[in-house]
Amino acid sequence: MTAQQTLAVRPATWPMWALKVVAPLHAVALLFQAVTAGLLLSTPGGRALHMATAVALLVIGIVHVVAAILVRWPGGGKAKFILPAVILLVATVVQAILGVAGLKVLHVPLGVLMFHGGVEQLNRVMARQ
């Protein structure tokens, strides 16, 4: 097998490395959102901090989707990381809308589901292949 054929067969490693950096960051950001939600209830500046971390979570979600797509194209890896990343990003947008609308009855359970989804994606990304 020539070097050219080897490069064509083996998936690129840098996109997977990027995903392995952003997936834990996403899970930690989701956890931090829960912490700032508690601060929202207990301190006067909690609302501003919760909203600021929501914006950070949105940016991390976008980076997560881009990294998941790069694992597949041009990385040549599996596409199994794309859909969960997109679902987390969409849920983040829905979560922001629910939060601004004051619909805590939907906002809180969706936040818990998002954290679960973030941990599941983290497990999927970090699994040995």
Side-chain angles (χ1 to χ4, degrees), residues 11-45:
T13 57
W14 70 267
M16 193 63 200
W17 179 85
L19 189 60
K20 286 188 178 204
V21 169
V22 77
L25 184 63
H26 202 170
V28 168
L30 286 162
L31 179 62
F32 197 64
Q33 268 300 94
V35 170
T36 61
L39 291 174
L40 181 140
L41 299 173
S42 62
T43 61

